[in-house]
Amino acid sequence: MPVTSLQDLRENLDGLGYYLGPRGLDGLGNSVSACDREVLGAIDCNATSLRQLANIEDYTRAAILQYQLDSNMAATGNDGPQLRSAIEKTVRILQDNLKKVLGISIELSGNYRRTTYSAVKTYQRTRGLPVTGIATLTVRRRLNDEARGATPTPSPTPSSSSELETLRKLRSDLITLKNSLQARQITDEEFIREVFSRVP
C-alpha cells in the first residue's frame, strides 16, 4: 500500500537523509531560527513545523529531486503515487536489510518510524559510523552490500620475499620509464612497449 500522507513522505525523505531545510522536519527551536516565509509561506514560525504543512514547499521539492537523482528516476521534483511508492520501497529494502544484518524483528512497513530510526542507530554504532539514525545513501549502500554478503576484496599480498622483490623492481622500473617519458628521452610508443615488456 503506497504512502498516502504528505507527512509520511516527509518522514521517509528525512530518514533517508534528504535535506528538508534549515528548520528540519520539526522546524522549531533551531539555533538560527531560520523561517523563510518565501519558501514556507505565511506560517507561524513559532508554532508550525514543516511536518505539519499541507502543501509541497521548495524544501520538500528539493529533497524529492535529490532522491530522484540518486535513484536514477526522471528528476522533476514532482510528487505523485509513483514517487511515494518508490520511496516506500526504498525504506522497505532498508528495513529488510536491517532485519538480515542485525538479526532483529522489524516490520517492513515502508515508513521510517522510531523502530527503523533506532535500528539504523544500532547498525551505525556497531559499524563505527556516526550514530545519527539517518540512513544516507552511503549507509544504505554499505548495509545493502552487507545484507547480500558482499565483502571487500582483499588486496593481494605477496606470498614470499622474492615476489615482494619482483614487485619492488617493477615499481622502480615503471618510475624510471615514466621519468624518461616526461623528460622526452623516449617516445610514447617506446614507453608503451617497455611497460608491456615488464608487466607480467
Side-chain angles (χ1 to χ4, degrees):
M1 178 168 105
V3 174
T4 53
S5 79
L6 186 52
Q7 181 174 336
D8 285 336
L9 172 65
R10 286 190 178 112
E11 293 272 358
N12 284 347
L13 286 168
D14 185 59
L16 295 173
Y18 294 98
Y19 181 68
L20 292 171
R23 301 173 82 230
L25 189 59
D26 292 312
L28 300 174
N30 65 74
S31 61
V32 293
S33 297
C35 183
D36 190 341
R37 287 190 175 83
E38 186 178 339
V39 176
L40 298 173
I43 66 168
D44 178 355
C45 292
N46 295 319
T48 307
S49 69
L50 182 64
R51 183 190 305 271
Q52 298 166 315
L53 293 183
N55 61 309
I56 298 277
E57 78 324 312
D58 285 345
Y59 295 134
T60 302
R61 192 173 318 285
I64 289 170
L65 181 67
Q66 189 58 55
Y67 173 84
Q68 290 169 328
L69 288 169
D70 289 348
S71 303
N72 297 319
M73 299 172 72
T76 62
N78 295 331
D79 183 22
Q82 185 178 3
L83 169 86
R84 292 188 189 197
S85 180
I87 292 173
E88 187 180 68
K89 181 179 177 185
T90 299
V91 175
R92 268 198 304 276
I93 290 169
L94 168 70
Q95 291 166 332
D96 190 47
N97 287 341
L98 287 165
K99 183 177 182 177
K100 290 175 185 171
V101 170
L102 297 177
I104 59 171
S105 175
I106 185 172
E107 181 186 359
L108 307 183
S109 65
N111 293 318
Y112 209 104
R113 300 279 192 261
R114 182 62 48 192
T115 309
T116 305
Y117 174 78
S118 295
V120 169
K121 284 176 76 172
T122 300
Y123 174 77
Q124 291 167 327
R125 189 176 298 109
T126 59
R127 298 317 186 262
L129 300 170
V131 181
T132 62
I134 305 298
T136 61
L137 185 59
T138 304
V139 170
R140 294 194 312 271
R141 284 180 178 160
R142 182 171 171 172
L143 179 61
N144 193 46
D145 287 347
E146 235 179 288
R148 291 176 183 230
T151 55
T153 307
S155 56
T157 55
S159 59
S160 70
S161 61
S162 65
E163 285 182 39
L164 184 58
E165 283 305 313
T166 303
L167 288 174
R168 284 183 178 147
K169 180 169 178 0
L170 176 61
R171 181 177 182 267
S172 175
D173 288 351
L174 292 176
I175 290 171
T176 303
L177 283 171
K178 177 184 157 200
N179 291 338
S180 296
L181 178 66
Q182 288 175 336
R184 303 317 275 164
Q185 295 169 341
I186 60 173
T187 65
D188 291 345
E189 292 79 20
E190 290 171 322
F191 174 77
I192 292 168
R193 188 173 40 253
E194 291 297 321
V195 167
F196 277 109
S197 72
R198 284 172 170 78
V199 175

